[in-house]
Amino acid sequence: MNVWLKRLLLCGASTSIALLVAEAAVRTFDPQDLSGTHKIATASGLLVNKSSGRARHQVGERVVTYTFSPPHLRDSRLEPGEKTILCLGDSFTFGWLLAAQHTFVAVLQGLADAQCGETYNFVNAAMPGWGAAEYVAFTEDFGDQIRPAIVLVFFNFRDIERAPSARVYSLLDETGFGLRRNRVPRSTLKLVVDALPGYEWLIEHSHLLRFCRNSIARSGLAGKPASSRTDAPRTPGAQAALEASVRLGQALFLRLNAWCRERGAELYVTTTGWHLPVEGTSVQGPATHAFLDGASTFFEAQGIPFRDISPELQARAGATPEDFVIPEDGHPNERGAE
């Protein structure tokens, strides 16, 4: 027993020393951006923000901390007696790499506090990577808990492309607007890893663990098809898929509007303003582009107020839009959000 105990202690000590040396080496020669995780999956497989706690996010010299409250809101909380405005969107609305007071949801809150007679409470449920399907699913799953007076959607540059790939909803047939809600498979590995005691703290403090996590993530992404280009050739099959994506997007907004009407809430749709081409380049997907071409007519027919703010935003940005985005990232910086 003594021999085996000594061997076990020796193995533990040598492993600890090796990990410490590896940690020091990564910190010295390949320091990592130390970020926690704020994404969790619901029972239906919908990815949402955490409902409590904090998460550190670092990219280069930019470091912010996000705070969460129920149900899955970022740096905002439900306030009884106030008119709640549920804000839905992707990373732009979430406030990627922005402190809480600099997100444009927080800026809107400040404007409402200063200028409106009524008391409004803007709550931020946006999630990086979301599209139109997640906006509807979140509202259906948590809207009755939030009880919004207004649902405010900030439409962005790939919201329609993301809808079919999310697999949250699918069209019932090839011509109509009926939808089926699907259960999305959850990652067993993520569920297990996220449940490990101390894991969140470690990925926010250990360069070695973050290096390993990033390597696994990169290897998992290898081989995925590239995103659709706006100048891709339109084959008959591609055209049919594009039209189906647009119809799915319209069906999702019809479903969201129906949810709002059943509960006496109002649905408003606007854009982030950042989805149009700048200097001949664009990351806007072809299905999103096609959806927006007919958006004004579609929303007007449904009685849904819609406003694309990109002309005003581009006019404000002027000839130097790069001054309003985070360098080498593309998300709005503090000036861009304001």
Side-chain angles (χ1 to χ4, degrees):
M1 288 294 296
N2 287 338
V3 172
W4 279 106
L5 180 60
K6 289 179 181 179
R7 288 176 177 175
L8 183 62
L9 291 174
L10 180 61
C11 182
S14 59
T15 300
S16 299
I17 293 172
L19 289 173
L20 289 172
V21 170
E23 176 71 29
V26 175
R27 283 176 178 260
T28 302
F29 299 107
D30 191 12
Q32 304 291 299
D33 291 339
L34 298 177
S35 298
T37 178
H38 61 89
K39 296 180 180 181
I40 63 171
T42 66
S44 66
L46 179 66
L47 282 178
V48 295
N49 296 308
K50 298 190 296 187
S51 268
S52 62
R54 299 169 178 266
R56 184 181 195 270
H57 188 188
Q58 177 183 4
V59 175
E61 298 298 318
R62 184 177 282 262
V63 181
V64 297
T65 299
Y66 309 130
T67 303
F68 303 95
S69 62
H72 310 290
L73 306 175
R74 189 227 152 155
D75 285 299
S76 51
R77 61 182 63 250
L78 299 179
E79 300 289 350
E82 297 185 356
K83 268 194 169 182
T84 301
I85 300 179
L86 172 60
C87 298
L88 301 170
D90 63 2
S91 54
F92 283 55
T93 309
F94 174 85
W96 181 265
L97 285 174
L98 295 178
Q101 70 272 21
H102 294 304
T103 68
F104 59 71
V105 173
V107 174
L108 283 170
Q109 181 69 69
L111 291 171
D113 291 343
Q115 300 178 16
C116 295
E118 291 187 84
T119 302
Y120 292 96
N121 180 27
F122 289 77
V123 296
N124 190 349
M127 254 281 296
W130 267 8
E134 287 88 352
Y135 306 157
V136 183
F138 180 88
T139 305
E140 290 186 340
D141 291 351
F142 302 101
D144 287 333
Q145 182 178 346
I146 297 171
R147 300 178 65 184
I150 295 171
V151 175
L152 177 56
V153 175
F154 291 93
F155 196 86
N156 210 12
F157 57 88
R158 295 194 69 82
D159 280 8
I160 301 303
E161 273 74 19
R162 287 169 174 169
S165 62
R167 298 178 295 166
V168 180
Y169 296 94
S170 54
L171 291 163
L172 292 176
D173 53 57
E174 297 181 357
T175 57
F177 293 92
L179 291 174
R180 177 191 301 110
R181 177 76 185 267
N182 304 313
R183 182 180 293 272
V184 181
R186 296 187 289 177
S187 169
T188 303
L189 177 61
K190 178 173 174 57
L191 291 172
V192 171
V193 171
D194 287 349
L196 293 175
Y199 173 75
E200 181 74 17
W201 185 91
L202 282 172
I203 62 172
E204 292 186 357
H205 293 83
S206 171
H207 290 256
L208 176 62
L209 182 59
R210 172 53 63 173
F211 174 83
C212 295
R213 190 177 189 274
N214 291 345
S215 299
I216 293 172
R218 284 192 293 267
S219 65
L221 291 174
K224 280 193 174 182
S227 299
S228 300
R229 293 173 53 90
T230 56
D231 56 353
R234 297 272 183 92
T235 64
Q239 181 63 26
L242 183 144
E243 292 173 358
S245 295
V246 172
R247 186 159 50 89
L248 174 60
Q250 293 173 339
L252 288 166
F253 279 103
L254 290 174
R255 184 165 173 136
L256 183 56
N257 194 38
W259 185 95
C260 290
R261 286 181 172 176
E262 289 171 3
R263 290 157 178 81
E266 296 178 88
L267 172 62
Y268 294 112
V269 182
T270 185
T271 63
T272 66
W274 292 97
H275 60 278
L276 292 181
V278 177
E279 297 181 355
T281 64
S282 176
V283 290
Q284 186 183 83
T288 299
H289 183 84
F291 179 91
L292 284 172
D293 281 346
S296 295
T297 302
F298 169 75
F299 286 122
E300 183 178 1
Q302 305 306 321
I304 301 172
F306 170 72
R307 172 95 178 255
D308 179 6
I309 66 167
S310 53
E312 290 92 338
L313 186 142
Q314 290 200 349
R316 290 287 295 273
T320 57
E322 64 276 5
D323 292 343
F324 297 87
V325 298
I326 299 171
E328 300 181 7
D329 178 86
H331 287 88
N333 61 17
E334 291 77 3
R335 293 179 65 194
E338 184 179 6

